[in-house]
Amino acid sequence: LLFILFFVPEKHFQRKMNKFLLAFAILALASADKFSNAFGNLDKKTLETNVWVIFAAGSKGYSNYRHQSDICHGYQVAHGLGIPDERIIMFMYDDIAYNSQNPNKGKIFNDNDGKSPDVYQGVPHDYTGSQATANNFLKIIRGEDMTGIGSGKTLKSTTNDHVFIFFDDHGGSDIICFPDGRYVHSAELESALNAMHDKGLYGKLVFYVEACYSGSMFYKIKIPANAYIATAAPIDQSSYAFKYDSRAGTYVADVFSWLWIDDVENYKDTETLQAQFDYLKTNMDTYSLPCQYGDLSIAQNYNMDTWWKPSVLANKGVKRNETDFRDMIPAWMVPLESARRRYMEAPTEANRLPREGEEDRQRRRHHGRRDLRQVCHQALHRHQGQRPRQLRLHQRGRVRHHLHQHPC
């Protein structure tokens, strides 16, 4: 099963998200000695040699911490299930772990509970920095030769193999974004997916996309046979971020991504993948409606009890503390909301001075506004290296604020 993770989003979830096909496909492939399902009868040896996974984060910049955090967490789960690193391809800019703004140098966390492990440790650095481009991503999923680029890993699967794709980043109408500033349009992705099918690079393909407007990438394209796709948002809505970490000073997870990964680690019940998706939809549609495309029989015909083996993960069945899902915000608000929270948690000296009169109040008010403008200005300009457009948000006298961000 090939996993390509793209990390392209208030309501309390009554139980863990039991909705994601990919997550459980990984569990199945890595943990079952033998099972019968939509993928056919595969013994343990086949599972260990016929599964391919690709995790891809398409952003850069500290405010996008959550995208790389999500895919690193996904890697830890896939690796822990026994899928060998030679068939796990990691695609990320890799500018978070050692970022000057990161208080935990060399570490990345996908939760704000203070208890979760570092998800960056041991992660392969297959395609990072200038190698994490839109063109390279398309070449990898088409199985083209990558000799001399990054680790050189590329998709070498066959019709006997199973592919899972998970992409996590920003998106817009008919586009998903990459660190090099180039977009992949829906027509390009359509061509690449059909090339995978024509080349016989998979038996079953599962593709999850975490991004704003992610449904727009698939709703009008020709999806190849034996491919199932789930998106975090429909054609015209934002995806959602959550889990603001005061120490990190930003949001460390996306809702769609974090829930399916956490579900793999903690789920112990039995239900079809379609039932899992239905539960996800029920709990997310107030904010962002997840969508399905392609061969829905893949989701409808999977039953997880044929895949599950409790000893696969040591922490299986251990539920985390209750999460406050009211903390969810649209992905496009992350830079501004993070700046606001940092300011409120660490007010300036001017705001901490005792109030001694109207003149002092005016002075503090002036300095407070000035400092807030500076914080927001810096945060907004650091948001995502690629700058497809510039919006003037505020102009008063000689003070101007501009926002560089993705179309979402």
Side-chain angles (χ1 to χ4, degrees):
L1 179 63
L2 172 68
F3 297 83
I4 304 179
L5 284 157
F6 274 52
F7 291 84
V8 159
E10 355 213 7
K11 183 174 182 179
H12 178 72
F13 285 77
Q14 298 177 347
R15 60 188 175 96
K16 298 293 182 184
M17 182 190 92
N18 303 322
K19 311 304 172 184
F20 286 89
L21 171 63
L22 284 188
F24 288 102
I26 299 178
L27 288 176
L29 295 177
S31 63
D33 289 331
K34 178 171 286 190
F35 63 86
S36 177
N37 51 38
F39 284 168
N41 296 319
L42 302 176
D43 58 25
K44 190 172 185 297
K45 181 179 179 181
T46 301
L47 293 175
E48 292 176 347
T49 57
N50 294 85
V51 178
W52 287 82
V53 183
I54 299 178
F55 295 105
S59 67
K60 65 180 178 180
Y62 191 72
S63 64
N64 293 308
Y65 184 116
R66 63 195 184 280
H67 300 143
Q68 294 182 43
S69 172
D70 289 341
I71 69 164
C72 287
H73 192 181
Y75 164 79
Q76 299 297 342
V77 172
H79 180 78
L81 291 170
I83 300 175
D85 282 358
E86 54 265 30
R87 286 191 301 281
I88 299 177
I89 301 175
M90 295 297 294
F91 190 98
M92 63 181 183
Y93 199 75
D94 194 25
D95 62 340
I96 301 300
Y98 292 96
N99 193 289
S100 61
Q101 295 178 262
N102 188 354
N104 304 294
K105 289 295 183 289
K107 297 181 179 181
I108 295 178
F109 298 93
N110 196 219
D111 206 326
N112 61 357
D113 59 5
K115 303 175 183 177
S116 299
D118 167 26
V119 296
Y120 185 71
Q121 183 178 7
V123 171
H125 293 65
D126 294 315
Y127 297 94
T128 61
S130 61
Q131 302 158 353
T133 66
N135 287 338
N136 283 343
F137 173 75
L138 292 173
K139 290 171 67 176
I140 290 168
I141 66 175
R142 290 193 298 253
E144 297 181 15
D145 183 18
M146 298 298 290
T147 302
I149 304 174
S151 67
K153 288 183 186 176
T154 191
L155 187 59
K156 296 181 179 180
S157 49
T158 70
T159 53
N160 295 320
D161 299 320
H162 306 295
V163 175
F164 175 78
I165 302 177
F166 184 64
F167 172 80
D168 195 328
D169 185 29
H170 295 284
S173 180
D174 291 327
I175 60 170
I176 51 177
C177 305
F178 284 82
D180 61 337
R182 190 173 96 71
Y183 304 142
V184 167
H185 294 265
S186 59
E188 293 179 283
L189 187 59
E190 175 185 21
S191 176
L193 294 179
N194 280 280
M196 291 175 63
H197 177 269
D198 295 342
K199 291 181 178 181
L201 294 179
Y202 68 84
K204 290 288 188 297
L205 169 65
V206 177
F207 194 170
Y208 277 15
V209 179
E210 167 83 59
C212 295
Y213 306 114
S214 46
S216 67
M217 293 294 292
F218 304 101
Y219 83 105
K220 61 182 179 181
I221 70 171
K222 176 186 176 182
I223 298 175
N226 299 319
Y228 169 73
I229 299 166
T231 65
I235 64 174
D236 58 355
Q237 290 182 10
S238 174
S239 60
Y240 277 70
F242 83 140
K243 289 188 175 292
Y244 178 81
D245 189 312
S246 296
R247 180 169 170 77
T250 190
Y251 287 81
V252 299
D254 288 293
V255 176
F256 179 94
S257 305
W258 185 87
L259 286 173
W260 79 257
I261 298 170
D262 180 73
D263 185 59
V264 174
E265 293 182 305
N266 296 289
Y267 180 75
K268 62 181 180 181
D269 296 329
T270 298
E271 64 180 3
T272 65
L273 297 173
Q274 182 61 49
Q276 296 167 17
F277 180 87
D278 291 341
Y279 176 74
L280 172 65
K281 179 179 177 181
T282 298
N283 286 280
M284 291 184 66
D285 62 3
T286 302
Y287 311 101
S288 181
L289 182 67
C291 298
Q292 295 172 294
Y293 303 92
D295 187 355
L296 301 186
S297 68
I298 293 178
Q300 295 164 353
N301 293 332
Y302 279 92
N303 190 293
M304 298 315 301
D305 69 342
T306 61
W307 297 356
W308 183 239
K309 184 177 181 182
S311 62
V312 172
L313 292 175
N315 66 339
K316 197 66 181 177
V318 178
K319 297 298 181 181
R320 299 187 180 185
N321 294 330
E322 293 296 332
T323 300
D324 185 359
F325 289 94
R326 292 175 299 177
D327 192 34
M328 295 193 305
I329 65 168
W332 62 268
M333 288 183 61
V334 168
L336 185 58
E337 179 63 13
S338 296
R340 184 192 72 81
R341 289 198 179 203
R342 288 195 298 270
Y343 177 80
M344 297 303 293
E345 291 169 357
T348 64
E349 185 64 22
N351 284 337
R352 288 196 292 266
L353 292 175
R355 297 177 180 272
E356 296 179 349
E358 182 60 27
E359 184 177 345
D360 290 330
R361 284 195 291 273
Q362 293 288 351
R363 178 172 55 83
R364 286 192 294 272
R365 198 174 297 123
H366 169 74
H367 286 303
R369 289 171 179 167
R370 181 199 63 189
D371 293 342
L372 180 57
R373 284 196 298 266
Q374 291 175 347
V375 169
C376 292
H377 181 81
Q378 293 173 3
L380 294 172
H381 276 74
R382 289 175 180 174
H383 172 60
Q384 191 65 25
Q386 52 196 17
R387 299 177 177 179
R389 63 179 178 176
Q390 185 180 67
L391 302 179
R392 179 173 298 173
L393 294 185
H394 176 71
Q395 179 174 355
R396 179 178 296 171
R398 299 178 63 183
V399 180
R400 298 182 181 183
H401 295 273
H402 300 281
L403 169 63
H404 299 285
Q405 68 172 49
H406 289 291
C408 67

